[in-house]
Amino acid sequence: MPLSLHLLAMAVFAMGTSEFMLAGLLPDIASAFGVTVGTAGVLTSAYAIGMVVGAPLTAAWARSWPRRPSLLAFVLVFAAAHALGALTTSFPVLFATRVVAAIANAGFLAVALTAAAALVPPDRKGRALAVLLSGTTVATIAGVPGGAVLGTALGWRATFWAVAVLCLPAALGILKGVAAGRDAHEATGRPALRAELAQLTRPRLLLVMLLGALVNAATFGSLTFLAPVVTGSAGLGELWVSVALVLFGAGSFAGVTVAGRLSDRRPGHVVAVGGPLLLLGWPALALLADRPAALLVLVFALGALSFALGSTLITRVLYEAAGAPTMAGSYATAALNVGAAVGPVVAAAAIGTEAGVLGPLWASGLLVAVALLIAFPFLTVVTADRPGDGRGAEVPG
């Protein structure tokens, strides 16, 4: 894989740390601003909403820019938003900084996903996506738990400052590793924006976007409220939250790495095995959450399954959006983050039920069940073993 792809992954690491870090900071943020944990969890949804809205808008706005200045601008805005978030004493201002940071993240990821796909042969998009998303999974292994430890020791604001500082080497990597000008193939033969947007009317593309969103909603819903499960149901100390996040991150890294090798040519294997196991896994975690050893094992397994299945579906989005070369990354980003916006809201509502802090785990199981029920009639679309298989069997519009 090209060096520039790994440099993009380094920037994704900084952004992934921010996107996931609230899972270990919510109780402290809620206490600092005098709001409930459920209300603080809306910050995750705010970030995801910014990603959903920002992905197509920023991708359309930056499509005429060379990639290096686009990526650099997004990283610097992202860093500034975190610096302001670290300084504010107003919850609405913190909410706004999360939205701005998310829009910058969305723009970066939309451009980076398209760039990653262009850096490799057409049949290796899944491998390229796996390298790029490794920045996110390493963030869950190192960045997020490290942020939780830093937040425990120095307060949640220190974690926001750390993310802002992480953007500096990422910006340097972009300057050194991404070409300043426009690639030759970008200058000619690029479809009009209207033609690329018209791809969103294709039922096949909308189907895989919906499935990716549902699986990601399940992942983000439970991950956002993992800390209360670890400290409440399992009865473990606060530092064990970081351990659980490391395990989830290690599992996600394993899952996206394996899926990256299968999602280009054998996506059916990932969906057929990972889907049912994920459906069983979330309820199993809810039932065994009071047993620390079982909880930690299941957190690792669910991280692997969630990212394996989710990244495979997002890879399918890139394949189905092949007719939108500059906007495909934004469609994948939007699908990923519609789930990230909806998941925490559903999970927060589930906390208010009799299930309490275990409610998000049951809600995640339900979201995966809905995804599998929708996918079942259209397995040839979702699980085609090779890109473009089954194109004659269009999903009914």
Side-chain angles (χ1 to χ4, degrees):
M1 289 290 155
L3 174 61
S4 55
L5 187 57
H6 292 279
L7 293 170
L8 292 176
M10 183 175 67
V12 172
F13 167 75
M15 295 181 175
T17 297
S18 175
E19 187 170 6
F20 289 100
M21 70 183 181
L22 293 190
L25 302 176
L26 279 185
D28 288 343
I29 291 176
S31 177
F33 289 95
V35 299
T36 65
V37 172
T39 299
V42 175
L43 292 172
T44 299
S45 294
Y47 198 96
I49 291 169
M51 292 281 283
V52 172
V53 175
L57 291 179
T58 53
W61 174 63
R63 73 195 298 264
S64 61
W65 289 20
R67 286 170 180 160
R68 187 165 79 178
S70 298
L71 294 170
L72 186 60
F74 290 134
V75 166
L76 294 179
V77 170
F78 182 83
H82 280 78
L84 179 57
L87 292 170
T88 187
T89 57
S90 166
F91 188 80
V93 171
L94 180 62
F95 184 95
T97 65
R98 296 301 288 170
V99 174
V100 172
I103 292 172
N105 188 350
F108 180 89
L109 193 56
V111 175
L113 281 168
T114 304
L119 288 170
V120 297
D123 63 347
R124 301 192 74 188
K125 290 181 182 179
R127 293 286 295 276
L129 181 63
V131 171
L132 192 65
L133 289 182
S134 69
T136 298
T137 57
V138 172
T140 62
I141 296 171
V144 176
V149 171
L150 185 61
T152 300
L154 300 177
W156 65 270
R157 296 179 190 277
T159 305
F160 275 65
W161 281 117
V163 170
V165 171
L166 274 175
C167 293
L168 300 181
L172 182 60
I174 292 168
L175 285 173
K176 297 292 185 181
V178 178
R182 184 177 294 279
D183 294 342
H185 71 275
E186 290 184 274
T188 59
R190 185 179 65 186
L193 177 60
R194 180 175 296 181
E196 295 202 46
L197 293 176
Q199 292 292 308
L200 288 173
T201 64
R202 297 184 61 246
R204 290 173 63 100
L205 174 58
L206 293 176
L207 173 65
V208 290
M209 288 177 69
L210 173 61
L211 296 177
L214 285 168
V215 170
N216 203 50
T219 303
F220 262 84
S222 286
L223 181 61
T224 298
F225 296 101
L226 184 60
V229 175
V230 173
T231 59
S233 297
L236 298 172
E238 288 189 3
L239 287 178
W240 282 96
V241 174
S242 298
V243 174
L245 291 172
V246 168
L247 289 172
F248 187 91
S252 66
F253 182 79
V256 79
T257 299
V258 172
R261 297 180 179 277
L262 295 175
S263 59
D264 287 315
R265 298 185 178 276
R266 295 291 183 266
H269 289 54
V270 180
V271 176
V273 175
L277 288 177
L278 195 57
L279 176 61
L280 296 173
W282 289 120
L285 182 56
L287 292 171
L288 299 173
D290 60 341
R291 304 179 185 182
L295 180 143
L296 295 175
V297 170
L298 283 169
V299 163
F300 175 87
L302 288 167
L305 292 169
S306 295
F307 272 76
L309 185 59
S311 65
T312 296
L313 291 170
I314 295 305
T315 298
R316 300 304 297 176
V317 172
L318 293 177
Y319 278 122
E320 293 298 336
T326 69
M327 296 295 292
S330 71
Y331 301 158
T333 302
L336 201 68
N337 286 282
V338 164
V342 171
V345 173
V346 173
I351 287 179
T353 67
E354 293 182 1
V357 297
L358 298 179
L361 305 179
W362 291 107
S364 291
L366 179 61
L367 288 166
V368 174
V370 171
L372 294 180
L373 286 173
I374 293 173
F376 183 75
F378 307 114
L379 287 179
T380 57
V381 175
V382 181
T383 65
D385 279 348
R386 289 180 182 272
D389 283 0
R391 283 198 180 274
E394 186 72 56
V395 178

